[in-house]
């Protein structure tokens, strides 16, 4: 009986250790993908690092986003169907909202010349999940 308990405790510890290694690997994969996004955002745009459940699509860079002085670029490298796109200012106020059919439109360019300088959050959402990231507008 005592031997069985020790084996069970050992297996639990081994499982916990294995889970921590897997979590570390997922974190490394996500940060590699974020760096790789620079190659997929057009010249002149700063990468918007997106986080969220929508980012784990079929393609490692399933969604890429960038911001320039006058526009936000969003590229869908996978079909997500209808996606709600919202941009919020630093006070949480909605400054832009649209629904895009990614089955038809893979690139969205949103002019932001109307926006005051500051930090903004772009948020993408649909039935599959969400993704969001911050960017600076000058």
């Amino acid at each position: 009986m005592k031997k069985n308990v020790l084996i069970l405790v050992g297996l639990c510890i081994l499982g916990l250790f294995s889970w921590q290694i897997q979590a570390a690997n997922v974190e490394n994969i996500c940060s590699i993908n974020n760096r790789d996004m620079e190659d997929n955002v057009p010249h002149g745009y700063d990468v918007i690092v997106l986080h969220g459940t929508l980012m784990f699509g079929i393609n490692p860079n399933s969604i890429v986003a960038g911001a320039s002085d006058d526009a936000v670029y969003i590229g869908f490298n996978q079909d997500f169907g209808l996606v709600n796109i919202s941009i919020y200012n630093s006070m949480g106020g909605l400054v832009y909202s649209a629904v895009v059919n990614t089955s038809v439109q893979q690139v969205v360019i949103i002019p932001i010349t109307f926006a005051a300088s500051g930090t903004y959050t772009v948020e993408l959402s649909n039935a599959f999940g969400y993704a969001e990231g911050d960017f600076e507008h000058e």
Side-chain angles (χ1 to χ4, degrees):
M1 176 79 173
K2 197 173 193 181
K3 183 178 176 183
N4 290 342
V5 171
L6 288 175
I7 291 172
L8 183 58
V9 169
L11 289 174
C12 289
I13 291 171
L14 183 60
L16 179 60
F17 180 71
S18 172
W19 178 81
Q20 288 175 337
I21 290 172
Q22 289 172 353
N25 287 338
V26 168
E27 184 176 317
N28 289 337
I29 289 168
C30 291
S31 56
I32 289 169
N33 289 341
N34 289 337
R35 283 194 301 271
D36 290 344
M37 286 192 309
E38 291 179 17
D39 297 335
N40 296 311
V41 174
H43 180 70
Y45 288 88
D46 294 327
V47 171
I48 299 172
V49 177
L50 298 171
H51 305 279
T53 55
L54 220 86
M55 296 307 299
F56 298 104
I58 297 168
N59 185 321
N61 293 309
S62 55
I63 304 172
V64 293
S68 69
D69 290 338
D70 56 0
V72 170
Y73 169 93
I74 302 170
F76 296 95
N77 298 319
Q78 175 181 330
D79 181 2
F80 288 99
L82 297 178
V83 174
N84 301 308
I85 301 174
S86 302
I87 298 178
Y88 298 92
N89 62 22
S90 60
M91 303 291 284
L94 182 66
V95 297
Y96 176 87
S97 180
V99 177
V100 175
N101 184 349
T102 64
S103 303
V104 177
Q105 186 176 1
Q106 289 80 37
V107 172
V108 178
I109 298 176
I110 304 163
I112 56 169
T113 53
F114 63 87
S117 295
T119 302
Y120 290 83
T121 301
V122 63
E123 181 180 278
L124 313 169
S125 62
N126 70 4
F128 298 109
Y130 77 98
E132 65 181 11
D134 295 334
F135 66 94
E136 294 291 324
H137 175 61
E138 297 179 11

